[in-house]
């Protein structure tokens, strides 16, 4: 619909039409009431102008019906836009369960993207059409913002934190990728392309690109940094066993309970003394400056794979016990 219009980019995702519908409704309401108010102001200025210096205007008598009308109707319209916006916000901020997960690391002045199977791209992202894609994003330096106009998605990318955005492309093609947060002298050059492909073509592209799965890269880095010397399954290990840790509740020395999510894992690697697990001493050194943001995400993918393995083993044991 908007493919040749610079003001309204092409609608190329499942959320694009819904976002535009709310936007145009709000524009229509604004235009309608602007014209109504200015029209009434002009009409009243002419209709009730003072015709002579001796004219004394009649006193105004309030109207309850009129007061209720211009209070209730705008309230209904405003609350309708609020509810509509909230529903759209929750849909945008909650990725489906069957997403294709990508890792995005922003750096002055480029986008570094890694696929689950290990393929890496810079300022380019290849995705299949009709497949929800979840982007887990962080920054190595300053604040950036990931924006694909045709998909109507925009998410700030922050240093030291993880933000998530998702989309499902609805038509093949190439779509602009921008950074919309000023990030330095070459901010305008931090651009790229999202290439949406037919699923068969996407699989063919994946097979022709080199790389190893994120979990494999994370395991190698885990062993390279000697994390397995303390975090293992042996009794008396100096660190907690990480198998089955991902997404679980962790009891701390101070009595608090936290969830082992991405933020907790990142903090535990870079600032291990911040949250010490109950039953263990502070022995782990900091890896601040020794591991990149990409490396952190790879280790998290490895820990998540350990959780998947532990869940599968648990299911097998339950089936065996029932038999």
């Amino acid at each position: 619909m908007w493919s040749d219009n610079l003001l309204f980019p092409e609608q190329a995702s499942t959320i694009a039409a819904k976002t535009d519908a709310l936007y145009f409704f709000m524009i229509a309401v604004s235009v309608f009431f602007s014209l109504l108010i200015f029209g009434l102001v002009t009409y009243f200025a002419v209709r009730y102008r003072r015709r002579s210096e001796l004219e004394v205007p009649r006193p105004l008598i309030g109207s309850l019906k009129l007061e209720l009308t211009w209070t209730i109707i705008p309230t209904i319209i405003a609350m309708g836009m609020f509810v509509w916006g909230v529903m759209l916000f929750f849909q945008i901020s909650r990725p489906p369960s069957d997403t294709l997960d990508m890792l995005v690391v922003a750096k002055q002045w480029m986008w570094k993207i890694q696929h689950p199977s290990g393929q890496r791209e810079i300022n380019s992202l290849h995705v299949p059409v009709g497949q929800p894609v979840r982007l887990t994003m962080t920054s190595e330096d300053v604040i950036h913002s990931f924006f694909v106009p045709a998909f109507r998605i925009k998410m700030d990318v922050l240093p030291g934190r993880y933000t998530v955005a998702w989309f499902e492309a609805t038509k093949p093609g190439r779509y602009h990728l921008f950074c919309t947060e000023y990030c330095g002298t070459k901010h305008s050059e931090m651009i790229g392309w999202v290439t949406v492909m037919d699923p068969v073509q996407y699989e063919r592209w994946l097979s022709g690109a080199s790389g190893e799965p994120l979990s494999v890269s994370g395991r190698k880095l885990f062993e390279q940094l000697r994390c397995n010397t303390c975090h293992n399954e042996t009794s008396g290990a100096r660190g907690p066993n990480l198998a089955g840790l991902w997404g679980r509740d962790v009891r701390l020395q101070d009595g608090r309970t936290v969830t082992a999510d991405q933020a907790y894992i990142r903090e535990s690697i870079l600032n291990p003394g911040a949250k010490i697990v109950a039953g263990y001493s502070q022995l782990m050194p900091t890896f601040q400056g020794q591991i990149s943001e990409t490396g952190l995400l790879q280790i998290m993918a490895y820990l998540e794979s350990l959780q998947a393995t532990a869940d599968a083993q648990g299911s097998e044991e339950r089936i065996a016990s029932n038999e």
Side-chain angles (χ1 to χ4, degrees):
M1 180 178 180
W2 308 112
S3 57
D4 298 324
N5 194 316
L6 294 178
L7 294 179
F8 301 102
E10 183 177 3
Q11 296 174 347
S13 74
T14 54
I15 206 68
K18 300 176 183 178
T19 303
D20 287 352
L22 176 58
Y23 173 76
F24 288 125
F25 177 76
M26 296 174 66
I27 291 294
V29 170
S30 300
V31 170
F32 171 77
F33 280 103
S34 295
L35 294 177
L36 177 64
I37 292 170
F38 280 101
L40 291 176
V41 167
T42 303
Y43 171 76
F44 291 148
V46 175
R47 175 67 177 80
Y48 297 105
R49 71 187 186 279
R50 191 176 185 183
R51 291 173 172 77
S52 70
E53 295 184 0
L54 299 178
E55 182 180 1
V56 178
R58 291 176 297 175
L60 296 177
I61 300 175
S63 172
L64 180 59
K65 291 183 179 180
L66 182 60
E67 294 283 352
L68 290 175
T69 298
W70 68 40
T71 299
I72 294 175
I73 292 178
T75 299
I76 293 175
I77 295 174
M79 291 304 298
M81 291 190 293
F82 171 76
V83 172
W84 190 353
V86 167
M87 294 173 61
L88 185 60
F89 170 78
F90 279 113
Q91 184 175 357
I92 293 174
S93 59
R94 293 183 176 180
S97 58
D98 58 340
T99 56
L100 178 65
D101 295 338
M102 307 280 190
L103 304 182
V104 179
V105 178
K107 180 182 179 181
Q108 293 174 318
W109 289 273
M110 67 179 70
W111 298 103
K112 299 190 293 184
I113 301 170
Q114 189 163 5
H115 294 249
S117 51
Q119 289 79 1
R120 300 185 182 186
E121 303 185 75
I122 295 180
N123 294 336
S124 178
L125 173 60
H126 289 74
V127 297
V129 67
Q131 171 68 52
V133 177
R134 181 174 65 178
L135 307 173
T136 300
M137 302 181 288
T138 188
S139 170
E140 289 189 354
D141 36 50
V142 299
I143 300 176
H144 302 274
S145 191
F146 189 96
F147 178 45
V148 183
F151 298 162
R152 308 301 193 267
I153 63 165
K154 179 181 180 295
M155 179 60 68
D156 286 348
V157 184
L158 311 173
R161 290 180 56 184
Y162 297 104
T163 54
V164 175
W166 78 277
F167 63 88
E168 181 180 342
T170 56
K171 58 179 70 174
R174 295 181 77 226
Y175 305 100
H176 278 290
L177 164 63
F178 298 101
C179 175
T180 51
E181 184 74 32
Y182 181 74
C183 55
T185 55
K186 295 184 180 180
H187 163 69
S188 61
E189 299 180 18
M190 193 170 174
I191 56 178
W193 293 92
V194 178
T195 303
V196 181
M197 312 171 72
D198 179 86
V200 175
Q201 293 178 331
Y202 176 71
E203 292 298 329
R204 189 179 301 122
W205 177 85
L206 280 180
S207 63
S210 60
E212 60 183 3
L214 289 172
S215 58
V216 175
S217 301
R219 178 179 59 79
K220 291 181 178 179
L221 184 58
F222 188 83
E223 295 173 353
Q224 178 184 339
L225 296 174
R226 304 298 181 187
C227 303
N228 55 343
T229 59
C230 295
H231 298 283
N232 52 60
E233 299 179 0
T234 60
S235 59
R238 290 177 291 180
N241 182 16
L242 302 182
L245 172 70
W246 186 266
R248 302 294 178 85
D249 290 338
V250 178
R251 186 76 173 176
L252 304 180
Q253 276 189 354
D254 57 9
R256 290 181 296 160
T257 299
V258 297
T259 301
D261 55 9
Q262 292 173 326
Y264 170 77
I265 298 298
R266 185 182 193 280
E267 184 181 36
S268 298
I269 295 174
L270 302 182
N271 185 16
K275 295 182 176 67
I276 303 175
V277 178
Y280 293 91
S281 303
Q282 169 49 32
L283 300 175
M284 180 175 169
T286 178
F287 287 90
Q288 184 78 44
Q290 302 180 50
I291 182 171
S292 66
E293 292 292 343
T294 301
L296 288 169
L297 291 169
Q298 289 172 344
I299 287 181
M300 292 177 195
Y302 169 60
L303 296 182
E304 191 171 4
S305 70
L306 293 180
Q307 177 62 49
T309 302
D311 290 342
Q313 291 176 350
S315 298
E316 292 176 357
E317 292 175 357
R318 287 192 295 270
I319 293 174
S321 63
N322 292 332
E323 293 176 351

